[in-house]
Amino acid sequence: MSDRLAVLPQYLLPKQALTALAGAAASARLGALTTAAIRRFVRRYGVDMSEAANPDIASYPTFNEFFTRALKPGARPLASAELICPVDGSISQFGAMDRDKILQAKGHHYLTTALVGGDEALATQFDHGSFATLYLSPKDYHRIHMPCDGRLTRMIHVPGELFSVNPPTARGIPGLFARNERVVCVFDSPRGSFVLVLVGATIVGSMATVWHGVVSPPRKKQVREWRYEVGQVALKQGDEMGRFLLGSTVVLLFPKSDLRFNPAWAPERAIRLGEPMASGPAPN
């Protein structure tokens, strides 16, 4: 995939065309070329294929199927915790919000209203709440799981840019996570409502959920929303809820409460799906 894209005159192509070309290559069945691209990716990023349910690189018919590979059963045991970490990756930032301000990086904040696509009523529910921003690097497992039991009430697709979301970019682009394309998932849980946001990134930014399938593409210019009846989508702690097809950041929002994050957590620390994330009393 990357070899083919590398020979294209990218300066002649608009961003949408580059995205479409990358997406087509990632989902194409190119035989030996696909296998060669996967092998190169595994070497470059140090992907640990021993954890994969299927460690045979040559058996993946497309790059996307490799990228969203499943883990072996038992590879990520779930801790006995109120909230578990929903992904493999590293911690970008986490902690309490200053009313509606989320810390992106030192010197950079953005607003909850912008993150959720402009819905002030939704954003206000999380004033003075807690957040966690978790970055998935190319080598990581790219499925997202539930931090706790939850019932889906809404899903919002917010169009936007496809900037890289790696740590240097997060430090350099103001409001990055509220500017990139994203899928906002709103859940009810035993401890109240919470939001789990899938943020797209260079080069494809394609995102899917287990209840909807691929949400993006298609890419629309307007915000789209889906609402769900009670019991229509209910997931247990640890269940898969979605996956990135070359996307790479999750942002979680929790309402105001005495939420206590794992004391071992710190920015840039490596994290694994299933480890303790936080605990504390439910919000009032």
Side-chain angles (χ1 to χ4, degrees), residues 98-167:
D98 179 8
R99 190 183 158 191
D100 59 348
K101 294 179 181 178
I102 304 172
L103 177 64
Q104 175 177 304
K106 185 176 181 179
H108 293 302
H109 291 79
Y110 61 100
L111 302 182
T112 52
T113 301
L115 177 68
V116 301
D119 188 328
E120 293 185 8
L122 173 60
T124 300
Q125 297 179 41
F126 301 95
D127 280 359
H128 300 290
S130 302
F131 78 98
T133 304
L134 311 176
Y135 169 66
L136 288 71
S137 73
K139 70 178 177 61
D140 289 319
Y141 170 65
H142 269 69
R143 298 189 186 191
I144 305 102
H145 294 249
M146 292 292 289
C148 60
D149 292 356
R151 179 181 65 82
L152 183 70
T153 60
R154 300 169 65 185
M155 181 173 74
I156 306 164
H157 173 242
V158 186
E161 302 293 338
L162 287 174
F163 295 118
S164 169
V165 291
N166 63 27

Side-chain angles (χ1 to χ4, degrees), residues 31-70:
L33 184 59
T34 293
T35 300
I38 294 172
R39 289 191 189 282
R40 180 177 178 183
F41 187 94
V42 168
R43 287 196 303 269
R44 178 177 179 183
Y45 292 106
V47 177
D48 184 0
M49 292 301 293
S50 70
E51 294 185 326
N54 177 10
D56 181 8
I57 290 173
S59 69
Y60 290 95
T62 70
F63 188 86
N64 275 343
E65 289 180 63
F66 153 73
F67 199 77
T68 59
R69 63 197 175 275

Side-chain angles (χ1 to χ4, degrees), residues 54-93:
N54 177 10
D56 181 8
I57 290 173
S59 69
Y60 290 95
T62 70
F63 188 86
N64 275 343
E65 289 180 63
F66 153 73
F67 199 77
T68 59
R69 63 197 175 275
L71 293 174
K72 287 179 179 177
R76 297 291 184 274
L78 305 183
S80 178
E82 187 176 353
L83 295 171
I84 61 169
C85 181
V87 295
D88 281 8
S90 62
I91 300 166
S92 178
Q93 298 289 339

